[in-house]
Amino acid sequence: AEKMLRSSDTHPDGYPTVEAVKYMGKLLDERTKGRLGIEVFHSAQLGEEKDTIEQTQFGVIDLNRVSLGPFNNIVPETQIPSLPYIFRSVEHMHHVMDGPIGDEILAAFSDHDLIGLAFYDGGSRSFYNSQHPIKSMDDLKGMKFRVMQSDMFVDMVSALGANATPMPYGEVYSSIQTGVIDGAENNWPSYDSSGHYEVAKYYTLDQHLIVPEVLVMSKKTWDGLSEEDQKIVRQAAKDSVPYMRDLWEKQEKASEAKIEAAGVKVITDIDKQPFIDAMKPVYDKYVTSDKLKDMVKRIQETK
Amino acid sequence: MELWILFGSFVFLLLIGTPVAFCLGVSSFATILYLGLPPVVVFQRLNSGVSVFALMAIPFFIFAGDLMVRGDIARRLVALAGSLVGHLRGGLGQVNILASVLFGGVSGSAAADASAVGGLMVPQMKARGYDVDYAVNITVVGSIIALMIPPSHNMIIYSISAGGKISIADLFTAGIIPGFILAVSLMVAAWFVARRRGYPTEAFPGWGAMGGLFLNAVPGLILIAIIFGGVRSGIFTASESSNIAVVYALLVTALVYRTMGWEDFKEATFAAVRTTAMVLMVIGCAASFGWLLAFLRVPVMMVSLLQGVSDNPLVILLLLNVVLLILGTFMDMSPLIVITTPIFLPVATAFGVDPVHFGVILILNLGIGLCTPPVGAVLFVGCAVGRIPIWQAMRTIWPFYGAAVMALMLVTYIPALSLWLPSLFH
Amino acid sequence: MQNTMKSLAQLTSLLARIALWIAGIGLILMTVFIAAQVFWRYILNSSLIWSEPASVMIMGWFIFLGAAVGIREGYHLSFDIVLYLLPERGKKVLHSISDAVVAAFGLGMIYYGGELAKKTMHNAIPSLGISGAWDFIPIIAGGVLVVIFCVERILRRAAGLSTARFGETELED
Ligand code: NA
Ligand code: NA
């Protein structure tokens, strides 16, 4: 295409989000008759998420696929889909984020030099550990879990009675292996690709977080597009979502099958209600304004 | 044109004697201005390049080294080592390499290891009549061993960059034999250089005297046991063990040996600040430079150049080595692993190279890149702890590069060296 | 000229001393914070979640201040082998060009560090709760010192006084 938009992603080439943005680039190329295209810089080539968000705000990067976590301190609305156990299932999350609530959150980015374009799937995160199967909250007591350096993750793990240990992702494998921590939490594909299943054999499918990821555009780039092109960009982003979800589902299934074949014990017979009840202090801390409280209520009411 | 500005201004500044850190920073700044992009990104990369927790092991190990040197722990340890191997030519050079093998299990970062081993060994080797450049050269090239012997964070980064299809346990095991091959070839090089320079041998002091030296060194030996044993048994991470080294060195020198006064402590602190600020400033500015290389697609261009050249797997592997060495000269290790793995691995596997084997080749290659000018974090750490200019180290480092490159060739062309050990576990 | 420079140098020397002290105290604080983290993790069996981000921020302070002082004291690594071939005058000109571009970079640290601080001022840093601008104050402060010390070097050279270089001269104030 004539003008190649630069898009950043921390995931490696071939990952569903990377492929979805490439697909969006293909759509753009077709629909603008070669005026616009997308070049994806995958594998965090341009920096980690926090840094690439700033780069997008300054207009160095045109597009950015990021998780909601780094936005929690910038765009308050993004905290809501990041709350533990807010979504009952992946379908529930899709219904909410594809509807008016999702649009509301996307619109909130525009106060921060960004244009929210679409939500992608980030999978559902569950706990895994090297010690024993976790079926109830008692089993979690006193265990050490690695979390991201995020207040909400720390509070969530503490509320469950376990110990949150913030630690860089790359150190987790050795730390589980050597017993510095007991486990961590993540989705199927990351549990697989990080190799953590080699050292932490118990995966408890509690799905505490089903957090979508977001595709944003720099407001600088957006303002430089004609109104017609803006429409095309928005539509192409929306059209890349089903493509992404399809790839994601395939990848999730493949990882699940591989991990189960490797002898990992998957625990599914858990009563989630006590876990959900334990989250009250977390909700009290993060859902403070009436606007956010109302959003939580509307999400819970969404079928 | 952008690339001409980037590399041109870099080389020009290097030649007129601008500090290496600022050569990297200023040339990135100039290139961004030329591209018409917001220059803020250069300073953001600089800031995030140094705001990395894993880098903290560098100031701590350097600080611990300075404390050990000023507080006499280092002299006593090396006196013991010297009595054991002093009758061999270049004995302390061998001790230095052995220390890298031991610390190889500790930090997983070549720069941190160079600061740990160099901070301890370089001043002591100097005091015992070795040339500083010899001590620095051994420390610098020896620290590549650390990347090969587990645990190695870089192997994990490689596995993740490869899409997680490679077992980390296999990678860890695969690095062990290549790590020892590198150690042995460096020891041979160290022996030859020592003989040519006619380093003195010391008389064996007798068992009685050695007992005394041993008792004297006990607190230092305990420190090594804590660091080495702590990380090996999984009690501490690298950053934590480097911190414990500082606290312990302070306690021993202030309370047990009573060799550390306020003035010594102050000077050790300032010395550590100077050395690490300099090294980490280079690492930060290299992050800006590396960002521009990625932005301008330099690694991708180098690969497509390479892909058209030959279809002989031996030639391809050799070319891969050359390209990685060149890239490793300008960029830091982990971003390079992340960028080059998805591009190079398919090329290598298409020619029948095992992904585990390729990981070992990749990391050894990039490790050598860390020791070569103009940009090499490990080289800078070595020169900083030895307080010698880069060119002085450069003049005499060649036998050690030779040994490392020989080890690289062995590891590249004899897959069994990497793959035999992991195969025992399958 | 030399005398004015010498009294000016007393001022910059004091400034460098203060920066070095702040950096040194930073290194000690980092040591204490991480030691506390180790103590909490292994002795008290719980986690200190602020120690890591706080230490990383302090590391920024001591790197940028230490790197700036390094310009004055000349402890940055450089390749000056080519310069040995040049006559004294040419060497001086090149050194001054070098100091000028480093000063320009220092101005960049101030201006763009300020822009980043402004942008992140209203975001809280995870686990610390303080303004995101704190992440960029060190680079701004370092930039100010870089500019001051570079200008000092150029003026000293013009006045015929010595400037320090790695592995060469120690600075006499
Ligand atoms: Na290692
Ligand atoms: Na290099």
Side-chain angles (χ1 to χ4, degrees), chain B residues 26-343:
Chain B
V26 171
S27 55
S28 312
F29 195 16
T31 310
I32 278 278
L33 286 172
Y34 170 78
L35 288 168
L37 291 168
V40 67
V41 66
V42 171
F43 300 92
Q44 182 215 43
R45 296 317 298 155
L46 166 60
N47 205 59
S48 12
V50 298
S51 307
V52 177
F53 182 65
L55 287 180
M56 208 167 286
I58 295 176
F60 285 151
F61 275 133
I62 287 178
F63 193 20
D66 275 318
L67 289 171
M68 286 167 80
V69 168
R70 273 165 225 268
D72 218 32
I73 299 181
R75 193 191 56 78
R76 293 174 206 228
L77 269 178
V78 177
L80 175 66
S83 73
L84 284 166
V85 297
H87 54 288
L88 303 172
R89 270 207 204 281
L92 283 186
Q94 313 293 347
V95 170
N96 190 325
I97 293 166
L98 270 181
S100 287
V101 174
L102 285 179
F103 276 95
V106 172
S107 83
S109 144
D113 284 34
S115 58
V117 175
L120 174 75
M121 292 296 298
V122 172
Q124 288 304 311
M125 287 178 72
K126 204 160 145 185
R128 288 172 158 258
Y130 291 80
D131 294 316
V132 192
D133 57 330
Y134 178 75
V136 168
N137 291 342
I138 290 185
T139 305
V140 165
V141 186
S143 60
I144 312 173
I145 302 168
L147 301 166
M148 313 300 297
I149 294 177
S152 165
H153 297 163
N154 293 300
M155 296 276 191
I156 298 178
I157 295 174
Y158 168 70
S159 169
I160 293 174
S161 313
K165 289 178 274 293
I166 308 166
S167 156
I168 292 164
D170 281 355
L171 282 170
F172 276 11
T173 337
I176 296 175
I177 292 180
F180 278 97
I181 288 175
L182 180 59
V184 170
S185 60
L186 287 179
M187 284 174 145
V188 172
W191 181 80
F192 268 110
V193 174
R195 207 181 63 156
R196 215 180 44 205
R197 291 198 185 180
Y199 287 134
T201 52
E202 296 167 33
F204 184 67
W207 291 105
M210 260 185 59
L213 287 172
F214 178 79
L215 282 181
N216 247 324
V218 161
L221 291 172
I222 293 178
L223 176 58
I224 291 175
I226 292 176
I227 298 180
F228 181 62
V231 176
R232 261 307 144 91
S233 61
I235 307 179
F236 306 121
T237 63
S239 309
E240 289 170 347
S241 73
S242 63
N243 178 273
I244 291 169
V246 173
V247 175
Y248 182 91
L250 256 181
L251 291 178
V252 168
T253 50
L255 303 177
V256 182
Y257 287 161
R258 294 174 186 276
T259 40
M260 176 76 62
W262 167 247
E263 274 306 310
D264 281 327
F265 173 69
K266 211 175 73 187
E267 282 317 306
T269 310
F270 286 154
V273 166
R274 289 186 172 104
T275 311
T276 44
M278 177 188 97
V279 171
L280 290 173
M281 190 70 185
V282 176
I283 292 178
C285 288
S288 294
F289 198 88
W291 185 91
L292 265 167
L293 288 186
F295 191 81
L296 299 173
R297 296 249 172 228
V298 174
V300 181
M301 275 160 29
M302 290 190 88
V303 176
S304 57
L305 259 174
L306 179 150
Q307 277 165 333
V309 175
S310 169
D311 52 6
N312 179 335
L314 296 183
V315 176
I316 285 288
L317 274 180
L318 187 68
L319 289 174
L320 272 180
N321 281 332
V322 172
V323 170
L324 286 171
L325 278 175
I326 294 172
L327 287 173
T329 285
F330 289 99
M331 288 175 79
D332 196 16
M333 187 137 188
S334 46
L336 260 183
I337 295 176
V338 169
I339 294 171
T340 56
T341 300
I343 308 168

Side-chain angles (χ1 to χ4, degrees), chain A residues 24 27-28 31 117 222 229-241:
Chain A
M24 174 183 163
L27 295 180
L28 274 184
R31 293 174 188 176
L117 292 179
W222 179 259
D229 282 354
Q230 288 180 348
K231 248 184 229 150
I232 296 176
V233 165
R234 209 179 265 288
Q235 193 54 45
K238 291 268 183 234
D239 292 345
S240 70
V241 173

Side-chain angles (χ1 to χ4, degrees), chain B residues 12-22 24-26 29 33 38-40 42-44 46-47 50-53 55-56 59-60 63 234-237 239-240 243-244 246-247 250 262 265-270 272-278 280-282 285 288 373-375 379-381 383-384 387-391 394, chain C residues 17 19-25 27-28 30-38 41-42 51-53 55-57 59-60 62-69 71 73 75-84 91 94-95 97-99 101-102 104-110 112-113 115-116 135-136 138-139 146 165-168:
Chain B
F12 172 75
L13 292 172
L14 210 56
L15 292 180
I16 69 166
T18 307
V20 176
F22 293 99
L24 290 161
V26 171
F29 195 16
L33 286 172
V40 67
V42 171
F43 300 92
Q44 182 215 43
L46 166 60
N47 205 59
V50 298
S51 307
V52 177
F53 182 65
L55 287 180
M56 208 167 286
F60 285 151
F63 193 20
I235 307 179
F236 306 121
T237 63
S239 309
E240 289 170 347
N243 178 273
I244 291 169
V246 173
V247 175
L250 256 181
W262 167 247
F265 173 69
K266 211 175 73 187
E267 282 317 306
T269 310
F270 286 154
V273 166
R274 289 186 172 104
T275 311
T276 44
M278 177 188 97
L280 290 173
M281 190 70 185
V282 176
C285 288
S288 294
V375 181
L379 179 69
F380 297 152
V381 173
C383 291
R387 311 257 196 284
I388 55 169
I390 303 169
W391 60 264
M394 288 306 307
Chain C
R17 202 76 202 150
L20 212 52
W21 268 92
I22 297 176
I25 291 169
L27 179 57
I28 308 287
M30 264 167 64
T31 310
V32 171
F33 287 177
I34 300 299
Q37 174 175 314
V38 171
R41 188 176 289 176
Y42 300 101
S51 61
E52 194 176 309
S55 306
V56 168
M57 181 178 297
M59 187 154 71
F62 100 69
I63 291 166
F64 291 124
L65 293 184
V69 176
I71 290 174
E73 296 187 359
Y75 55 72
H76 282 287
L77 284 174
S78 53
F79 285 88
D80 26 22
I81 189 148
V82 179
L83 294 177
Y84 283 94
K91 231 160 106 173
L94 291 182
H95 280 322
I97 294 177
S98 165
D99 288 331
V101 289
V102 174
F105 191 76
L107 287 175
M109 287 167 74
I110 302 170
Y112 294 106
E115 230 177 72
L116 285 161
D135 266 339
F136 300 101
I139 198 173
V146 165
R165 294 205 77 77
F166 190 88
E168 214 175 82

